[in-house]
Every structure is written in structure tokens, then in C-alpha cells.
Amino acid sequence: MKTHDVKHIVVVGAGQMGHQIAMLCALGGYTTILQDVNEEALQKAEASLNGRMNQWVEKKKLTDEEKKTAFANLTYTTNLEEAARNTDLVIEAIVEKVDAKRELFRKLDQLTPDHTILATNSSTIVNSLLAGATNRPEKVCNMHFFYPPLVMECVEVVKSEKTADETAEAAMAVCKQIGRTGILLQKEIAGFVANRILGAIHQEAIHLYEEGIADFKDIDCIVKKSLGHPLGPFELIDLSGADVVYNAMQHRFTESGNSEDKPPACIEEKVKAGDLGRKTGQGFYTYNKEKVTQ
């Protein structure tokens, strides 16, 4: 596919990543469909995007006319077949589990036109693990957005050995069109660049916490005040979600077999308790509408 051929984009998954990616595409001028099997998730996504875009208008980051145009570009559906029928690019943003993603890519391969690029937003799963479920591995890549996509400017575009140059070029062109900095990774590696570095920080921070060297909030304070990070590692875990972090670590452990990659006890405990961070109101920190308490 030539870079100028992408006109219609489908984002699958209306969760914390997918609905914002869809809004970016709509703001970039693409005809965009946000698809999710859950109607309630779509309604929640629409309400969230309306609220955020109204804030942007109030802050003069966006004109009212630009907001109206973006929402005119964006539609919502639970029907995957209908959404995929005429699209040029699909960006998958569902649960971070290989089996679920492979099954979706198998369906997308059957439902989309032959020219359609299939991209995964996965933060850890390399696209070749999903491309095998399709008959178009040359049209499969990663487009890894960072949370929250409407704020974070970087997108890691990752090629496998079978990803065509034209596929990567099209993905990079979409990044440019939606106002994001696309960085092309020529080779696959689990976790890519940012999350491998972040994962190393998380592992060491958790080790220091579990060994009783310092409390988690003090570790966050040290990282922010000495290293200049805007958020500490435990604040970042709460922002991403303990379940997301757990799944990423578990995937890495499954691949490597290295016990050092196994999800640590404190993360597993958070997941089992349902204390996933900001999205549940409780993680390492406690959250409410007014403030964060320690």
C-alpha cells in the first residue's frame, strides 16, 4: 500500500487506549470507526471523548469547528464485519493476550480487503506472533501508542522479518498525519525500546520496595526529584494498570523462562485483589476525583 492510500481506519477495542487512538485518527482527518463488542464500552468511550474534547475547546487547544469535524469523522459500532469491510488500516487495541489477539487477526484477515494493513497496539507482543494467524504477514506491524495517546507523542512502529517496507511507510505516514512522532524499529524484540527500559526501572524499584529498602512512595519521590521523571515507577504502574503491567511481565517471562522476568508478588497481589490503579480507584495509591492520597 502506498502511503497516501490510507483514508479509512478502524480501531478495535474501546478501552483506555483504543478510544483515544480513534480520536487521534478522527482529528487527523481519517474516516474512523471505533469497534468494540461491548455497547456499554462504546458509550463510555463516546462520553469520555466528548468531555475531553470540550476541555480542549475551552483551553483553546481545538476550535469548536475542529471538534465538530473530528466527531463527524468518528463512528461507533459493535459489528466487526461491518467495520472491517472497507477499511485501509486496522489498529487493534484489545486485551494484552496473545490468543485473543491471534483470534482477532484471523477474523480480520477474512473480513478486510486484501490491501488492508493490520497493526497491533500491543506494548509487548511482537507482530510476527499475530501475523501467523493471517495470510498477509507482509501487511502486519506494530503501532505502539503510549498512554494516554491523546497526550503522549511517540509511536513505536515495529517491523518483523516479513513486514513490507510499504507497510511500515504507511504506518509512519499515519503517525505524521495524526500529529505523532513515529519511530521505526527495524527488528522485533519483546517490549520494544521504551518498555524494555521502563521494565528495567520497574523491576529494580519493586525489588527495592519488596526488600524493605524504602517505601514505594519514597522510591517514587527519589526517582522524580533526582532523575527528573514526571511520575515515579509506582505511579506509572497505577496509571497503566497493574493488570497491564502483570500481563506484560508474564508474557516476557513466558518467552524468556528467566525467573527474574516473572511478575513480582506485589503486582500479582494487586491484580488478584482487583486493585489495578487509577481505573479502579485503588492501586499502590488511593484515588478519588479530587486528589491522590498516599
Side-chain angles (χ1 to χ4, degrees):
M1 170 177 285
K2 296 178 181 178
T3 57
H4 63 269
D5 286 342
V6 175
K7 296 181 176 64
H8 186 290
I9 296 176
V10 170
V11 179
V12 180
Q16 61 179 0
M17 294 295 293
H19 77 286
Q20 292 198 20
I21 294 171
M23 192 74 246
L24 278 176
C25 295
L27 286 165
Y30 292 105
T31 300
T32 307
I33 297 177
L34 178 60
Q35 188 275 336
D36 197 289
V37 295
N38 188 325
E39 178 64 39
E40 185 178 348
L42 291 172
Q43 292 173 358
K44 184 178 178 181
E46 185 173 11
S48 175
L49 291 174
N50 269 294
R52 186 177 287 266
M53 292 304 105
N54 286 336
Q55 289 178 348
W56 280 22
V57 171
E58 290 174 8
K59 294 177 180 180
K60 301 190 184 303
K61 295 174 64 177
L62 196 70
T63 67
D64 190 59
E65 190 62 33
E66 287 170 334
K67 184 194 80 170
K68 290 178 180 177
T69 299
F71 277 110
N73 289 336
L74 179 61
T75 55
Y76 310 82
T77 185
T78 58
N79 190 322
L80 181 63
E81 182 177 359
E82 180 183 286
R85 187 178 297 131
N86 296 310
T87 192
D88 303 311
L89 167 66
V90 177
I91 302 174
E92 168 272 313
I94 66 169
V95 64
E96 196 74 349
K97 294 183 178 179
V98 174
D99 290 346
K101 291 181 186 293
R102 281 182 60 87
E103 176 59 19
L104 175 60
F105 271 60
R106 184 191 66 78
K107 289 180 181 177
L108 289 170
D109 188 48
Q110 296 174 350
L111 295 174
T112 57
D114 291 342
H115 74 271
T116 304
I117 292 171
L118 305 180
T120 174
N121 177 55
S122 176
S123 59
T124 57
I125 298 169
V126 293
N127 70 78
S128 60
L129 292 177
L130 311 179
T134 77
N135 292 308
R136 62 181 88 184
E138 75 284 355
K139 296 189 186 320
V140 178
C141 68
N142 289 81
M143 289 183 70
H144 173 220
F145 292 75
F146 292 85
Y147 183 77
L150 284 167
V151 176
M152 303 298 284
E153 295 185 4
C154 186
V155 179
E156 291 175 317
V157 176
V158 189
K159 294 173 60 180
S160 73
E161 290 184 356
K162 295 184 178 179
T163 304
D165 289 341
E166 292 80 5
T167 298
E169 289 168 5
M172 291 287 285
V174 169
C175 292
K176 183 176 181 180
Q177 180 68 26
I178 64 176
R180 291 298 173 265
T181 301
I183 306 294
L184 181 60
L185 279 60
Q186 295 286 351
K187 293 182 179 180
E188 291 184 321
I189 185 169
F192 317 134
V193 173
N195 278 343
R196 290 183 72 87
I197 294 171
L198 185 60
I201 293 173
H202 280 161
Q203 281 188 329
E204 186 59 27
I206 291 168
H207 171 72
L208 293 169
Y209 167 61
E210 290 188 334
E211 288 295 310
I213 305 300
D215 190 66
F216 68 85
K217 59 182 176 292
D218 293 324
I219 294 171
D220 277 353
C221 184
I222 291 168
V223 169
K224 288 188 290 185
K225 291 187 178 295
S226 67
L227 302 180
H229 292 200
L231 294 174
F234 295 95
E235 290 173 320
L236 272 173
I237 291 170
D238 276 2
L239 180 64
S240 300
D243 54 336
V244 174
V245 174
Y246 177 87
N247 287 336
M249 289 179 169
Q250 185 62 42
H251 177 71
R252 181 85 176 269
F253 172 61
T254 301
E255 279 198 339
S256 70
N258 186 342
S259 60
E260 293 182 358
D261 292 331
K262 189 175 181 180
C266 68
I267 299 296
E268 188 171 0
E269 288 168 5
K270 295 291 183 190
V271 173
K272 287 181 177 179
D275 296 334
L276 306 182
R278 288 179 181 266
K279 59 188 173 184
T280 62
Q282 180 64 52
F284 284 96
Y285 297 87
T286 299
Y287 301 86
N288 56 44
K289 291 183 179 179
E290 286 78 36
K291 61 181 180 178
V292 178
T293 57
Q294 299 178 352

